């Protein structure tokens, strides 16, 4: 009997991780990616232990050696005066949670995943081919494909929609339109700044979170300290941007400087050092009523887009991939395996989605509520604050 065959829509971090996990589970995999060129884009990612443990097993972490940075702490600072509200020690992270906590560039992670995929005979990537629809039956699934003007088909034993927050597979599976995720009226402004343009404190091997009124700022060094990744998140009043503007909108530094004019000078001078800002509209969606139907399942942002306030978008996609591989290895009944995958993952992903939202609300408090938050952060101390992430970061051993 030949090995089962999975079709995957999307070669993002979720789709590539899923392909590797399925190949390990004995599946043949065809990935269809609508983009003609697999561009390695994006900015910094905080890769938490719950995800790095999975990438270690897939031999992806070792490919990131020299590109990743292990932070020694997470520092929380107050916007107006730069006071440190909390210092969470990460030196012990690997022992505490079971795998390293890493800072990486998204492009480096995607390249490492692509290299691992290229070495797997069982996986084929078809770039420039979009999944346009599907028919799922009792014996298999047929995906309708579009390559330019060509209309093609591919058949397999299951279809995994790893096609991102505006997932077509999700829209066809559950209805609601590909664009039903909503803009949360916040934008993330992102920049990479050369190390020689920033103050030495921005190069400390730590992840730094600044909390201010209706805004927060995150920065950390990347690529062995050659650059600093900066993300400034702002509340916005403007309407939702058009989908095609994602990732490509240039931000006006003067607008950013005005919004941060009351912040401590260390934050202002870091923002002023950036040469090129990109604006990223943040989107979110309520947890879905289901992730699977028959031989089709959703994974990653297609299943659970979330704001980045817990830094878990990529990590949760990687957790999905591991759970999918385990579930399909455990049974030859594909619909049952997909249902088991969703059952294993939904509660946790829903919680991460909810807690990401809650974190975002806490970050942007102002007035007495911000004062109370800051006092609580100080009273709690770094070690006890760190313990609040145990549920999220601790590696699951199966
Ligand atoms: C360009 C980009 C840059 C990002 N950079 C960062 C970052 O720097 N930091 C961070 O925290 N998060 C970033 N994210 C978000 C983060 O990477 C995701 O939360 C996480 O990786 C989940 O990935 P995913 O594979 O589920 O979805 P995505 O990363 O969105 O990947 C989905 C893939 O599916 C493809 N696709 C879409 N529709 C179809 C279709 N119909 N048929 C076939 N293929 C299709 C898309 O082209 C894309 O390659 C980025 C996302 C994108 C798309």
């Amino acid at each position: 009997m030949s090995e089962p065959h999975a079709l995957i829509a999307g070669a993002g971090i979720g789709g590539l991780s899923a392909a590797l996990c399925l190949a390990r589970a004995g599946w043949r995999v065809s990935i269809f990616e609508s983009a003609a060129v697999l561009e390695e884009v994006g900015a910094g990612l905080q890769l938490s232990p719950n995800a790095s443990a999975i990438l270690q097993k897939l031999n992806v972490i070792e490919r990131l050696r020299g590109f990743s940075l292990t932070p020694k702490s997470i520092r929380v600072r107050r916007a107006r005066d730069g006071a440190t509200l909390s210092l969470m020690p990460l030196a012990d992270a690997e022992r505490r949670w079971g795998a390293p906590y890493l800072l990486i560039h998204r492009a480096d992670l995607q390249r490492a995943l692509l290299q691992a995929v290229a070495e797997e005979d069982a996986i084929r990537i078809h770039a420039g081919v979009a999944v346009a629809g599907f028919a799922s039956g009792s014996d298999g699934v047929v995906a309708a494909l579009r390559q330019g003007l060509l209309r093609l088909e591919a058949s397999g034993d299951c279809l995994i929609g790893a096609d991102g927050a505006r997932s077509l597979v999700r829209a066809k599976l559950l209805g609601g339109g590909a664009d039903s995720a909503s803009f949360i009226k916040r934008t993330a402004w992102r920049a990479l700044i050369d190390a020689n343009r920033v103050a030495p404190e921005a190069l400390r091997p730590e992840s730094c979170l600044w909390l201010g009124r209706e805004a927060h700022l995150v920065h950390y060094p990347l690529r062995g300290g050659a650059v600093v990744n900066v993300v400034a998140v702002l509340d916005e009043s403007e309407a939702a941007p058009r989908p095609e503007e994602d990732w490509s909108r240039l931000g006006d530094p003067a607008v950013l400087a005005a919004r941060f004019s009351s912040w401590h000078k260390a934050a202002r001078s870091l923002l002023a050092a950036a040469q090129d800002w990109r604006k990223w509209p943040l989107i979110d969606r309520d947890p879905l009523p289901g992730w699977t139907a028959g031989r089709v399942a959703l994974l990653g942002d297609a299943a659970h887009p979330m704001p980045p306030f817990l830094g878990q978008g990529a990590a949760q996609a990687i957790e999905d991939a591991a759970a999918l591989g385990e579930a399909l290895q455990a049974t030859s009944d594909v619909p049952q395996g997909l249902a088991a995958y969703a059952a294993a993952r939904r509660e946790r992903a829903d919680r991460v989605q909810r807690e990401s939202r809650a974190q975002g609300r806490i970050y942007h408090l102002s007035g007495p509520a911000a004062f109370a938050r800051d006092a609580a952060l100080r009273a709690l101390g770094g070690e006890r604050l760190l313990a609040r992430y145990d549920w999220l970061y601790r590696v699951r051993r199966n």
Side-chain angles (χ1 to χ4, degrees):
M1 210 176 72
S2 64
E3 68 271 30
H5 180 203
L7 312 176
I8 297 183
I13 289 166
L16 295 172
S17 303
L20 290 169
C21 291
L22 288 171
R24 297 283 168 104
W27 281 63
R28 185 161 67 84
V29 183
S30 301
I31 310 179
F32 302 100
E33 165 56 54
S34 54
V37 182
L38 295 171
E39 275 181 309
E40 293 153 356
V41 292
L45 275 180
Q46 309 195 42
L47 196 63
S48 50
N50 49 316
S52 71
I54 295 164
L55 296 181
Q56 263 173 342
K57 285 192 198 153
L58 295 172
N59 300 330
V60 172
I61 291 295
E62 66 185 37
R63 296 171 196 271
L64 291 168
R65 203 170 290 139
F67 295 102
S68 60
L69 194 135
T70 312
K72 295 214 175 346
S73 49
I74 300 174
R75 185 185 297 269
V76 185
R77 298 181 73 172
R78 187 164 55 196
R80 87 180 135 77
D81 58 2
T84 294
L85 300 171
S86 182
L87 191 64
M88 289 181 264
L90 288 179
D92 204 22
E94 189 156 357
R95 196 198 53 77
R96 180 185 191 110
W97 293 310
Y101 185 109
L102 300 172
L103 302 175
I104 51 162
H105 194 291
R106 184 181 182 277
D108 296 333
L109 174 57
Q110 212 187 355
R111 189 178 329 107
L113 286 165
L114 281 167
Q115 283 166 358
V117 159
E119 287 171 18
E120 278 285 354
D121 291 340
I123 307 175
R124 289 275 176 280
I125 300 191
H126 306 269
V129 182
V131 171
F134 56 84
S136 174
S138 53
D139 295 336
V141 60
V142 177
L145 307 173
R146 262 190 215 146
Q147 184 174 24
L149 294 174
L150 287 178
R151 301 281 183 274
L152 309 164
E153 274 185 3
S155 50
D157 297 289
C158 70
L159 169 67
I160 307 302
D163 49 345
R166 296 196 163 85
S167 168
L168 177 134
V169 177
R170 184 199 57 73
K172 299 243 183 242
L173 196 68
L174 302 172
D179 238 355
S180 68
S182 54
F183 175 50
I184 63 166
K185 293 202 167 174
R186 285 188 183 178
T187 47
W189 292 57
R190 316 180 68 112
L192 286 175
I193 310 177
D194 280 345
N196 59 18
R197 296 177 61 86
V198 304
E201 70 168 41
L203 294 172
R204 285 194 292 236
E206 62 182 25
S207 179
C208 197
L209 164 68
W210 295 69
L211 302 179
R213 183 193 173 91
E214 297 173 357
H216 72 274
L217 175 67
V218 178
H219 60 87
Y220 46 82
L222 275 181
R223 292 182 163 158
V227 289
V228 175
N229 181 66
V230 186
V231 184
V233 177
L234 301 179
D235 286 358
E236 300 278 5
S237 51
E238 67 179 68
R242 290 191 302 275
E244 66 270 22
E245 288 180 336
D246 286 9
W247 298 103
S248 59
R249 287 205 299 174
L250 282 172
D252 179 353
V255 171
L256 199 63
R259 289 289 298 267
F260 282 81
S261 59
S262 62
W263 284 47
H264 184 253
K265 64 176 182 321
R268 282 186 283 118
S269 46
L270 180 66
L271 296 176
Q275 290 172 307
D276 182 19
W277 286 102
R278 301 268 155 182
K279 281 170 74 174
W280 178 20
L282 298 180
I283 55 173
D284 186 10
R285 191 175 42 225
D286 287 335
L288 295 172
W291 291 10
T292 64
R295 291 173 175 271
V296 183
L298 304 173
L299 181 144
D301 279 4
H304 44 68
M306 57 184 74
F309 309 132
L310 276 179
Q312 284 292 308
Q316 291 304 303
I318 293 165
E319 280 197 27
D320 289 348
L324 180 71
E326 280 166 26
L328 288 182
Q329 192 163 31
T331 177
S332 55
D333 183 327
V334 174
Q336 204 177 72
L338 294 181
Y341 148 69
R345 285 288 303 141
R346 275 185 58 195
E347 199 180 316
R348 177 168 161 87
D350 287 357
R351 180 174 178 194
V352 179
Q353 244 180 330
R354 279 196 313 273
E355 302 240 357
S356 299
R357 286 177 179 180
Q359 195 93 324
R361 282 192 294 275
I362 293 167
Y363 283 178
H364 288 205
L365 291 174
S366 55
F371 185 78
R373 174 202 62 205
D374 295 351
L377 279 172
R378 282 198 148 133
L380 203 57
E383 192 55 55
R384 279 194 292 160
L385 193 56
L386 206 60
R388 297 198 160 191
Y389 293 92
D390 285 348
W391 70 274
L392 181 59
Y393 293 163
R394 186 157 288 145
V395 174
R396 293 180 318 128
R397 303 266 173 225
N398 298 314

